[in-house]
């Protein structure tokens, strides 16, 4: 069942965060649905409600153009049928104004992100407000971004800006956006923090305080870049350099401070890369795409369960189902 992120956030706020996972292909999609239903090996396995979770499936502009956006929609519609118990939002990740309109007009996305965070404050407000007005008329909710992501020591380093709490309050009021992605020291990709830096929970607490009560926040760049997966990749012929990610124990701390959506893409790519490299290293005679595909779907499902436990969303599906169905 496709729902809006707004409904999911209402249930989650202050208690846990919902995983927002990017997909690009069939194996990621199936692994994601299985993981969120606690079915590791087979689509037909019973749902394990002790770990089952609501989730957000994210589609980036890159994913839309990788093959053709229509394949993604068809695949997700099929997953909805194969996994009828799943409760999830379909979200456009880092949209431009033009792509937001396209996603809203498709009638398929329940949520879009307009990312005009690279623009000056006033221009970001104007663009975001236009998208919000357009989306709300069609029942679609909007995530916007203020501040710029990156590993930082001070408030500003090059083009990197931590979100200013007072500006955030003003931005939300002026645009009417439904949730706000904030820059609190994280960055996209596998190389997040120089040294022992981490998420700026102090800044997050200030932002939460400045915003209306119960206002949902979003953390981008939240992969933990586990050493285990990086080592496996490198042991199987990869050449990833010294990496760093978000401490998984910070997810629950961020959730308690109003973060309802935690974006994870890089970690899924690491699982994918390790499984494919290991498979072809260990079975050099094999050239069947299904051999690594099967291993990956199970490994990814298991990894999603692990992540959801850290986010606190694992085990929430039954309650969320009653919550969204009851209105
Ligand atoms: O925030 C970016 C996401 O990780 C999506 O990455 O644009 O390479 O699909 P992508
Ligand atoms: P990671 O690169 O840390 O997985 O962040 C993903 C993200 O923020 C997608 O919008
Ligand atoms: Zn992002």
């Amino acid at each position: 069942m496709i729902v809006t992120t707004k409904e999911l956030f209402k249930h989650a706020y202050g208690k846990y965060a919902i995983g927002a996972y990017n997909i690009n292909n069939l194996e990621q999609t199936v692994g994601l649905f299985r993981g969120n239903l606690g079915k590791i090996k087979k689509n037909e396995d019973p749902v394990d409600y002790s770990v089952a979770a609501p989730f957000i499936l994210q589609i980036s502009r890159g994913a839309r153009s990788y093959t053709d956006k229509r394949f993604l929609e068809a695949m997700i519609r099929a997953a909805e049928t194969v996994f009828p118990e799943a409760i999830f939002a379909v979200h456009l990740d880092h949209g431009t104004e033009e792509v937001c309109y396209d996603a809203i007009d498709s009638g398929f996305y329940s949520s879009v992100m307009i990312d005009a965070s690279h623009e000056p404050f006033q221009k970001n407000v104007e663009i975001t407000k236009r998208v919000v007005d357009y989306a709300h008329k069609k029942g679609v909710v909007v995530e916007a971004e203020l501040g710029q992501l990156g590993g930082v020591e001070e408030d500003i380093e090059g083009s990197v800006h931590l979100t200013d709490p007072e500006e955030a309050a003003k931005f939300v009021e002026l645009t009417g956006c439904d949730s706000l992605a904030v820059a609190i020291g994280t960055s996209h990709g596998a190389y997040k923090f120089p040294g022992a830096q981490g998420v700026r929970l102090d800044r997050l607490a200030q932002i939460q305080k400045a915003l209306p009560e119960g206002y949902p926040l979003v953390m981008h760049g939240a992969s933990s870049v586990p050493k285990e997966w990086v080592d496996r990749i490198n042991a199987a012929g990869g050449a990833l350099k010294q990496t760093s990610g978000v401490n998984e124990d910070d997810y629950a701390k961020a959730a308690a401070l109003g973060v309802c959506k935690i974006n994870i893409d890089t970690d899924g790519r690491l699982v994918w890369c390790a499984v494919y490299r290991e498979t072809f290293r260990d079975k050099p005679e094999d050239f069947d795409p299904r051999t690594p595909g099967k291993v990956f779907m199970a490994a990814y499902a298991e990894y999603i369960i692990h992540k959801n436990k850290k986010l606190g969303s694992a085990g929430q599906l039954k309650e969320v189902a009653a919550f969204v169905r009851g209105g």
Side-chain angles (χ1 to χ4, degrees):
M1 180 187 184
I2 298 176
V3 298
T4 64
T5 45
K6 194 172 184 167
E7 292 167 273
L8 297 180
F9 295 163
K10 233 187 266 170
H11 189 263
Y13 188 89
K15 294 183 292 192
Y16 63 93
I18 297 158
Y21 301 103
N22 292 68
I23 58 114
N24 297 274
N25 64 19
L26 180 65
E27 288 79 7
Q28 284 179 308
T29 307
V30 173
L32 181 60
F33 275 80
R34 279 194 201 159
N36 281 296
L37 293 177
K39 302 165 178 245
I40 292 179
K41 289 241 162 68
K42 289 195 191 135
N43 300 350
E44 300 75 29
D45 284 345
V47 177
D48 179 352
Y49 280 101
S50 70
V51 292
F55 65 103
I56 298 164
L57 182 153
Q58 314 204 107
I59 300 173
S60 71
R61 280 177 287 142
R64 281 160 60 93
S65 59
Y66 169 52
T67 52
D68 183 302
K69 62 189 178 184
R70 288 169 291 186
F71 286 123
L72 297 176
E73 176 167 350
M75 210 163 59
I76 294 159
R77 296 267 188 222
E80 212 187 349
T81 309
V82 173
F83 303 101
E85 304 90 351
I87 294 188
F88 61 103
V90 179
H91 175 78
L92 172 71
D93 191 25
H94 293 284
T96 59
E97 187 172 4
E98 192 192 353
V99 176
C100 281
Y101 295 147
D102 186 69
I104 295 162
D105 287 342
S106 74
F108 173 57
Y109 292 75
S110 58
S111 170
V112 295
M113 176 190 190
I114 171 67
D115 183 358
S117 59
H118 49 282
E119 300 285 1
F121 182 83
Q122 195 49 41
K123 188 136 191 242
N124 188 355
V125 167
E126 284 162 23
I127 296 169
T128 301
K129 173 97 174 70
R130 281 200 295 273
V131 172
V132 168
D133 290 345
Y134 193 85
H136 283 181
K137 275 189 211 130
K138 304 205 177 192
V140 174
V141 301
V142 180
E143 171 185 327
E145 179 167 329
L146 185 68
Q148 285 186 276
L149 265 64
V152 293
E153 279 166 12
E154 300 298 331
D155 274 16
I156 299 172
E157 182 186 289
S159 63
V160 172
H161 297 259
L162 289 186
T163 305
D164 177 84
E166 297 314 318
E167 271 193 6
K170 210 161 125 198
F171 185 85
V172 166
E173 194 192 325
L174 291 171
T175 63
C177 61
D178 302 282
S179 61
L180 187 68
V182 289
I184 47 173
T186 65
S187 58
H188 292 108
Y191 311 97
K192 296 190 191 299
F193 306 111
Q197 255 177 236
V199 178
R200 289 285 303 271
L201 294 168
D202 55 333
R203 176 58 63 103
L204 180 59
Q206 292 165 354
I207 297 168
Q208 184 195 33
K209 208 165 154 209
L211 286 167
E213 209 180 322
Y215 190 84
L217 299 170
V218 179
M219 193 202 291
H220 281 245
S223 279
S224 56
V225 196
K227 188 172 172 342
E228 176 206 340
W229 289 100
V230 173
D231 287 349
R232 280 174 63 170
I233 289 169
N234 288 341
L240 298 185
K241 294 190 291 276
Q242 189 65 38
T243 54
S244 66
V246 171
N247 182 338
E248 287 180 327
D249 294 333
D250 282 349
Y251 296 159
K253 293 178 191 164
L257 294 170
V259 169
C260 294
K261 172 173 179 275
I262 292 197
N263 285 18
I264 296 163
D265 185 7
T266 296
D267 284 351
R269 296 180 186 205
L270 294 175
V271 174
W272 181 89
C273 182
V275 166
Y276 278 72
R277 279 193 174 281
E278 286 173 351
T279 304
F280 291 122
R281 176 197 63 190
D282 298 342
K283 297 185 176 174
E285 73 294 349
D286 198 334
F287 53 92
D288 186 340
R290 292 168 299 194
T291 307
K294 275 184 211 162
V295 181
F296 171 74
M297 288 186 284
Y300 193 43
E302 244 181 311
Y303 191 68
I304 294 289
I305 294 171
H306 161 79
K307 274 295 189 217
N308 289 343
K309 284 182 181 166
K310 293 288 183 183
L311 297 169
S313 63
Q316 294 286 345
L317 185 63
K318 223 173 212 161
E319 248 195 48
V320 169
F323 182 77
V324 298
R325 293 202 167 102

